[in-house]
Amino acid sequence: MADLLPVDEAIARIVAGVTPTVIEHVAIDAAGDRTLATPLAALRTQPPFPASAMDGYAVRAADVANVPTRLRLLGMSAAGAGFAGKVGPGEAVRIFTGAPVPEGADAILIQENAEEFEMGAVIARAGVAAGRYVRAAGLDFREGMPMLDAGRVLHSRELALAAAMGYAALPVQHRPRVAILSTGDELVPPGTMPTGDQIIAASGPGLAAYVRSIGGEAYDLGIVRDDLTLIEAAIDRATALPADVLVTLGGASVGDHDLVGKALARRGMALDFWRIAMRPGKPLMSGRIGPMHVLGLPGNPVSSLVCALLFLTPLVDALLGRPPRDLSEPAVLAVDVAGNDQRQDYVRATLAQGDGLPMVTPLPKQDSSQLSVLAASDCLLIRAISAPPAKAGDACRIIRLR
């Protein structure tokens, strides 16, 4: 198996020299799950003024050092309608959460510790330290402060922060266009009842959903028969999109009917590699046609989806300018497992919560034709090349599927 490429080396070669997609600006309410293209610094200071953290009274701490004490009530400070005057000795201002703290006041006497004695006066029943319940100007961030890094995926908390920083639109990477081409005389679309030797093309819909889940745009080029001219025409459609990535499903091997490699070569693909030391999914092509990346995945749905997880994910991440990430995480074997051979194994498995790390149990059936097993799996258990037998309780690594 010396001619089979290790998984890690294959990933490194796939992402080598990738140029991120173009930058576009989108409204903040349309930027959910997009990838930030450039670092963002705050356009404003938050809060822009000292603000009250509680409902109560803005006071001078020195005036309530000895209680009870009576303070003259000057007015009110509310959110959006602050008190314009100054708090002097023996004075207080009624204040509400988020309102500006008036000049001269340095603490908030919470309303539970105060009592309005009569019109124009308030009785302080407890003391309060200087700065207590006052949010200083710039407590959250200050104008010009770097806050969000490029490559960050924008979820609800990032969008809320960007809005508070003063942004109405955000620079994001264009979603990579991933064209998906299914090949094979035996394939029929979902919803069609197969006859004779036909089977339903299941890899395409699964892969399209996966592409969207990792931040790409999926373009279905349909099912193409095993005809060199038709396959070349489909490749031309991908080039015309233009697609950032062309993923072919099926025909990635070297059999007489595996015409995809020939068609790609005739369309100018520079082949990098085509076989990986892994299971499921040994036949996998990688190359380029001009700027368009090409991944030739196995037609088997389980193999294609596992390969998409391992190889398409880092490629899309690189196109989006996201930092490299390790998809794997530690876990513990719940049962004994056998030693492995010369291909890195990705074993479909279930997870249960243990006292610490999750417990992994391989499913009894591992045939790569069984989508039902993949759908029932929580993770892939990684078994390295030539891994020795392992016992229940041994450490392992997994890639979550859910």
Side-chain angles (χ1 to χ4, degrees):
M1 298 255 180
D3 58 337
L4 300 184
L5 200 63
V7 170
D8 289 346
E9 184 179 342
I11 293 172
R13 287 167 64 165
I14 287 171
V15 302
V18 172
T19 300
T21 57
V22 298
I23 298 173
E24 57 185 355
H25 286 77
V26 300
I28 195 167
D29 60 359
D33 297 326
R34 301 295 297 271
T35 302
L36 191 63
T38 61
L40 291 188
L43 301 178
R44 56 183 297 276
T45 295
Q46 176 68 17
F49 44 74
S52 178
M54 300 287 284
D55 291 347
Y57 298 86
V59 299
R60 296 170 6 121
D63 290 339
V64 293
N66 298 301
V67 291
T69 188
R70 177 172 170 167
L71 304 171
R72 186 163 68 93
L73 194 57
L74 300 178
M76 181 177 69
S77 181
F83 179 75
K86 181 177 179 179
V87 176
E91 295 177 336
V93 167
R94 181 74 166 114
I95 197 166
F96 298 94
T97 303
V101 177
E103 184 182 356
D106 61 4
I108 305 300
L109 175 68
I110 61 174
Q111 62 187 20
E112 293 89 337
N113 293 333
E115 178 184 350
E116 289 200 24
F117 180 67
E118 57 185 29
M119 185 65 66
V122 60
I123 303 297
R125 300 292 185 187
V128 60
R132 184 64 170 159
Y133 303 122
V134 175
R135 294 172 179 150
L139 175 66
D140 198 358
F141 51 80
R142 291 192 172 274
E143 181 179 351
M145 184 180 293
M147 297 301 295
L148 291 171
D149 295 331
R152 186 154 179 174
V153 181
L154 299 169
H155 300 305
S156 56
R157 60 187 183 275
E158 289 87 3
L159 294 175
L161 175 58
M165 289 161 58
Y167 290 90
L170 299 174
V172 297
Q173 301 291 162
H174 191 280
R175 289 190 179 100
R177 299 183 181 96
V178 180
I180 301 169
L181 172 60
S182 301
T183 64
D185 290 339
E186 75 281 13
L187 300 179
V188 295
T192 302
M193 185 60 68
T195 61
D197 297 331
Q198 295 176 330
I199 58 173
I200 295 173
S203 297
L207 182 60
Y210 186 69
V211 166
R212 290 188 288 269
S213 75
I214 60 175
E217 293 180 347
Y219 293 83
D220 184 5
L221 298 177
I223 300 170
V224 176
R225 290 171 40 223
D226 290 322
D227 180 287
L228 198 58
T229 300
L230 295 178
I231 296 172
E232 289 182 46
I235 296 169
D236 291 342
R237 295 201 303 275
T239 304
L241 274 173
D244 298 292
V245 184
L246 168 62
V247 177
T248 63
L249 297 170
S253 190
V254 292
D256 292 339
H257 294 283
D258 293 325
L259 304 176
V260 174
K262 296 177 184 177
L264 289 167
R266 287 173 53 156
R267 282 296 180 263
M269 184 184 78
L271 178 66
D272 186 7
F273 62 83
W274 74 273
R275 294 204 302 169
I276 308 291
M278 63 173 288
R279 182 176 37 245
K282 179 177 73 172
L284 184 142
M285 285 191 297
S286 176
R288 286 195 187 188
I289 299 176
M292 182 172 69
H293 302 267
V294 178
L295 284 181
L297 304 187
N300 179 298
V302 173
S303 299
S304 66
L305 292 173
V306 171
C307 287
L309 172 63
L310 295 175
F311 303 108
L312 183 58
T313 304
L315 177 54
V316 169
D317 279 351
L319 287 165
L320 287 169
R322 297 174 181 171
R325 52 180 170 145
D326 184 359
L327 297 177
S328 70
E329 62 182 87
V332 174
L333 291 173
V335 297
D336 296 352
V337 296
N340 197 23
D341 59 16
Q342 296 306 300
R343 284 198 278 168
Q344 186 152 298
D345 229 343
Y346 293 87
V347 181
R348 279 71 76 200
T350 58
L351 291 177
Q353 189 55 52
D355 293 335
L357 295 173
M359 305 291 293
V360 186
T361 302
L363 289 165
K365 297 180 179 179
Q366 291 292 321
D367 191 285
S368 63
S369 68
Q370 293 180 287
L371 271 173
S372 60
V373 175
L374 183 64
S377 301
D378 301 312
C379 69
L380 301 175
L381 168 63
I382 304 171
R383 296 288 289 153
I385 293 172
S386 301
K391 297 289 187 180
D394 286 353
C396 63
R397 294 196 72 81
I398 61 169
I399 299 175
R400 288 184 188 263
L401 298 174
R402 298 175 181 173

